[in-house]
C-alpha cells in the first residue's frame, strides 16, 4: 500500500468490487483537467498578482501542488468548489519544509523546474510510488542549466536542489514527455538567454498555452527536427484567470463504460478537446465506437465539447505508435475496451507506460489475464485479444492488483461492469488522486461498484 493510501486506510475501503448491473444512462460532468490544474497553480504562484481558478481538479495530486505553492510563499485560498485564488509574489521563496508531492509525477517535475529559477534550496519527496519513478529525465536538462542536485541514486526522490543563476539551453527531448518539456520551460523563465525545447514527438502543450495567457512570449516553430519551443528568460508573468476544462483522461472511464455495456448511452460534458489529448477518442472511433461530440466551444483558451458514447460492437485495431503521446494515460482503459472488442488490439511504442504511477503494461496484462482475457506483454507493448463483447463477455471473477495506481483501479472497475463475474480492485483510495467522486459519478449512471 502506498503512503497516501495508508494514511486513508481508516476512512476508505481497502477493496472495491464492480459487477454487471444493466445499461448505463445519464449525463456527467468531467472533473477538471489534472495537467491544467497543476499548471494553473504553479503559474499563478510564479506570477505577480491574483489569479482566480475555476473548475480546479480537487484531487490529491493537485492539492499537493496547491500546498507546495503556499510553501513557496504564494497566498493560496480555496473559495468554493473548484474555485481557488492564488496570490502570486512574482517568484518562489525558500520553503521552510520538505515539498511532498504525494503521488504526483507532474507536480514533482514541474515544481522542480519552476523552483530551479530561484536562488533557493528545496528538498522534494513523494509517496512510495513517486519515490520509485525516474527523475534523471528532469535532472539532466536542469543540471545543464546550472541547477545543483543532491540525493538518492537513480536518481530518485527524495532529492534536494539549489537553483538560481541559470543559463538557457537548447534541449532535445529524449523521450516524449510534457513533464520534462514543462520543467525546462519553467526553469527557462529564470535563465539568461533563450531556452529552447525540441520535441520530435509532440506532447500536450498546456504549459506553452498557459505561459502565453500569463503574458509570456513563447515561440513555436515546426521544423524538420520537430517542434521547437522557445522562451526568453527574465519575462515576468502577470496573473490571469483560468477556467479549467474537464479532463479527457477522466472522461474516458464513463465513456468506455457506456461503449462496452449493452444498451448504454452516456454523455460527459465539458471535455477538453485539445488534439494533443484526444488520441483515445480517435482510436475508439476506429474500433467502431459510436461517439458523438456536440456543443463544441472555447473555454479558458482551449476547445471543449460534450461527448456522448453509446454501446457499440467494437473491433480490435492496431493503434498507430505515433499517436501514443496523445493518449498515453488512456492505454489502461483502451485495453479494457480492447478486451470487449472482437479480435486483437495491438498497442506498441509504450515504453513510457512502464514508468507511470505503476508499470501499467505489466499490471494491465496481469489483471486482464486474471479476468480470462488473452493478452501478450511486450517490452514496450501490449496485445489484447478481445472476447467479442456482449456475445462472449470477459469472464472476470478476479481481484486486479493496482500497485496504488488510480488509472489501473478505475479501468478494472469499468471492466467489472461488463464482465460475467465481479471484478475487485485493491487500494481504491488512490482513485482520489485524479478522480475524486469517481464511484459516485459511476453510480449515478447506473454502475454497481461497492466496498466489498
Ligand atoms: C502530464 C504528462 C504525461 C502524463 C501525465 C501528465 C503533464 O506524463 O502521463 O499524467 O501534465 O504534463 P509524461 O510527461 O511523463 O509523459
Amino acid at each position: 500500500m502506498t503512503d497516501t493510501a495508508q494514511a486513508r486506510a481508516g476512512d476508505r475501503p481497502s477493496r472495491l468490487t464492480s459487477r454487471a448491473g444493466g445499461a448505463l444512462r445519464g449525463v456527467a460532468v468531467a472533473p477538471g483537467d489534472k495537467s491544467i490544474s497543476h499548471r494553473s497553480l504553479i503559474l499563478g504562484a510564479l506570477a505577480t498578482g491574483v489569479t482566480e481558478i475555476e473548475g480546479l481538479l480537487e484531487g490529491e495530486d493537485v492539492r499537493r501542488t496547491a500546498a507546495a505553492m503556499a510553501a513557496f510563499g504564494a497566498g493560496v485560498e480555496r473559495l468554493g468548489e473548484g474555485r481557488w485564488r492564488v496570490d502570486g509574489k512574482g517568484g518562489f521563496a525558500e520553503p521552510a519544509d520538505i515539498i511532498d508531492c504525494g503521488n504526483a509525477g507532474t507536480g514533482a517535475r514541474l515544481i522542480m523546474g519552476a523552483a530551479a529559477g530561484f536562488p533557493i534550496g528545496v528538498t522534494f519527496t513523494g509517496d512510495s510510488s513517486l519515490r520509485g519513478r525516474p527523475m534523471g529525465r528532469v535532472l539532466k536538462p536542469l543540471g545543464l542549466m546550472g541547477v545543483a542536485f543532491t540525493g538518492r541514486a537513480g536518481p530518485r526522490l527524495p532529492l534536494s536542489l539549489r537553483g538560481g543563476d541559470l543559463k538557457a539551453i537548447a534541449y532535445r527531448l529524449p523521450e516524449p514527455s510534457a513533464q520534462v518539456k514543462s520543467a525546462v520551460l519553467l526553469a527557462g523563465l529564470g535563465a539568461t538567454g533563450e531556452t529552447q525545447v525540441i520535441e520530435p514527438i509532440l506532447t500536450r502543450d498546456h504549459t506553452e498555452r498557459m505561459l502565453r495567457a500569463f503574458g509570456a512570449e513563447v515561440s513555436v516553430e515546426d521544423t524538420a527536427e520537430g517542434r521547437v519551443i522557445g522562451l526568453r528568460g527574465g519575462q515576468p508573468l502577470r496573473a490571469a484567470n483560468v477556467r479549467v476544462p474537464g479532463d479527457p483522461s477522466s472522461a474516458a472511464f464513463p465513456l468506455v463504460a457506456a461503449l462496452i455495456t449493452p444498451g448504454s448511452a452516456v454523455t460527459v460534458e465539458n471535455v477538453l478537446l485539445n488534439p494533443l489529448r484526444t488520441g483515445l477518442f480517435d482510436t475508439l472511433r476506429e474500433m467502431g465506437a459510436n461517439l458523438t461530440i456536440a456543443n463544441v466551444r472555447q473555454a479558458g483558451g482551449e476547445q471543449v465539447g460534450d461527448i456522448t458514447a453509446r454501446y457499440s460492437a467494437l473491433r480490435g485495431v492496431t493503434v498507430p505508435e505515433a499517436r501514443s503521446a496523445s493518449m498515453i494515460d488512456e492505454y489502461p482503459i483502451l485495453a479494457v475496451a480492447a478486451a470487449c472488442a472482437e479480435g486483437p488490439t495491438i498497442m506498441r511504442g509504450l515504453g513510457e507506460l512502464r514508468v507511470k504511477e505503476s508499470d501499467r503494461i505489466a499490471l494491465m496484462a496481469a489483471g486482464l489475464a486474471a479476468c480470462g482475457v488473452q493478452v501478450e506483454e511486450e517490452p514496450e507493448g501490449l496485445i489484447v485479444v478481445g472476447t467479442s463483447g456482449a456475445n462472449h463477455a470477459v469472464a472476470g471473477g478476479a481481484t486486479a492488483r493496482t500497485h496504488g495506481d488510480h488509472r489501473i483501479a478505475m479501468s478494472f472497475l469499468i471492466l467489472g461492469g461488463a464482465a460475467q463475474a465481479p471484478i475487485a480492485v485493491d487500494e481504491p483510495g488512490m482513485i482520489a488522486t485524479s478522480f475524486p467522486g469517481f464511484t459516485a459519478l459511476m453510480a449515478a449512471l447506473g454502475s454497481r461498484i461497492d466496498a466489498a
Side-chain angles (χ1 to χ4, degrees):
M1 192 185 277
T2 60
D3 306 347
T4 315
Q6 224 141 26
R8 314 188 160 279
D11 55 24
R12 297 202 188 170
S14 59
R15 262 163 51 110
L16 283 178
T17 301
S18 163
R19 62 197 83 232
L24 304 181
R25 296 204 158 254
V27 180
V29 180
D33 187 74
K34 183 155 71 72
S35 295
I36 295 178
S37 293
H38 281 296
R39 286 160 172 79
S40 63
L41 291 164
I42 295 169
L43 293 198
L46 287 171
T48 304
V50 173
T51 285
E52 284 201 4
I53 308 167
E54 249 182 73
L56 189 87
L57 171 68
E58 296 184 328
E60 297 290 338
D61 279 13
V62 175
R63 284 178 179 272
R64 294 281 181 165
T65 292
M69 293 308 106
F72 285 114
V76 179
E77 195 188 342
R78 183 177 189 269
L79 304 175
E81 202 186 322
R83 289 183 49 237
W84 290 64
R85 183 178 189 275
V86 181
D87 191 356
K89 303 291 185 263
F92 284 6
E94 184 159 299
D97 209 340
I98 293 172
I99 300 296
D100 184 348
C101 295
N103 193 242
T106 306
R109 295 184 178 123
L110 268 61
I111 298 170
M112 278 187 210
F118 302 97
I120 55 176
V122 190
T123 300
F124 291 89
T125 193
D127 72 6
S128 56
S129 157
L130 188 57
R131 291 197 305 268
R133 294 178 68 184
M135 292 296 153
R137 52 182 57 200
V138 175
L139 269 50
K140 186 172 169 225
L142 296 185
L144 292 170
M145 296 174 89
V147 182
F149 291 98
T150 48
R152 269 177 71 205
R156 305 266 189 255
L157 297 184
L159 54 81
S160 305
L161 68 75
R162 176 150 289 281
D165 200 17
L166 304 187
K167 56 180 187 306
I169 55 167
Y171 191 69
R172 186 175 188 277
L173 290 180
E175 59 283 297
S177 169
Q179 293 178 3
V180 177
K181 169 176 66 176
S182 302
V184 175
L185 290 174
L186 293 175
L189 278 174
T192 307
E194 192 192 54
T195 294
Q196 287 188 345
V197 179
I198 301 123
E199 329 188 79
I201 299 173
L202 303 189
T203 67
R204 63 193 73 194
D205 58 359
H206 310 306
T207 302
E208 299 90 299
R209 285 170 182 261
M210 206 180 285
L211 279 168
R212 282 184 175 146
F214 278 73
E217 265 178 45
V218 181
S219 63
V220 176
E221 198 191 338
D222 288 320
T223 70
E225 298 241 333
R227 181 164 283 182
V228 182
I229 300 133
L231 175 79
R232 212 174 358 90
Q235 300 187 58
L237 299 184
R238 287 188 308 272
N241 294 339
V242 180
R243 185 128 58 93
V244 181
D247 197 329
S249 303
S250 298
F253 296 103
L255 291 173
V256 169
L259 292 177
I260 63 173
T261 311
S264 301
V266 165
T267 300
V268 183
E269 293 180 339
N270 191 34
V271 182
L272 171 69
L273 296 176
N274 181 319
L276 294 169
R277 296 289 301 282
T278 49
L280 173 75
F281 304 131
D282 299 335
T283 304
L284 290 170
R285 282 216 178 90
E286 288 168 9
M287 294 173 80
N290 182 341
L291 286 178
T292 50
I293 303 182
N295 199 13
V296 174
R297 56 207 184 268
Q298 286 291 122
E302 295 273 8
Q303 204 169 58
V304 300
D306 304 336
I307 306 185
T308 299
R310 293 186 175 79
Y311 172 70
S312 305
L314 300 177
R315 310 175 287 279
V317 294
T318 297
V319 185
E321 289 185 31
R323 196 181 281 161
S324 66
S326 71
M327 53 180 291
I328 194 66
D329 291 336
E330 284 68 79
Y331 280 96
I333 191 63
L334 175 63
V336 163
C340 300
E342 185 182 342
T345 293
I346 299 166
M347 297 167 266
R348 293 200 168 113
L350 307 184
E352 283 294 302
L353 280 197
R354 295 220 182 257
V355 292
K356 294 294 177 188
E357 286 83 329
S358 69
D359 177 344
R360 288 181 171 161
I361 296 180
L363 288 185
M364 286 312 296
L368 288 174
C371 290
V373 180
Q374 195 187 326
V375 283
E376 204 180 307
E377 184 180 342
E378 297 181 345
E380 300 200 345
L382 185 66
I383 299 170
V384 176
V385 182
T387 55
S388 305
N391 303 327
H392 308 95
V394 168
T399 297
R401 298 286 315 279
T402 69
H403 287 200
D405 186 325
H406 52 126
R407 297 201 202 280
I408 301 289
M410 289 187 277
S411 297
F412 280 103
L413 291 171
I414 296 301
L415 183 60
Q420 294 176 40
I423 297 176
V425 302
D426 60 9
E427 302 185 54
M430 294 305 285
I431 291 172
T433 60
S434 70
F435 201 153
F438 168 77
T439 44
L441 182 146
M442 291 307 303
L445 297 174
S447 274
R448 290 177 61 202
I449 300 176
D450 307 296

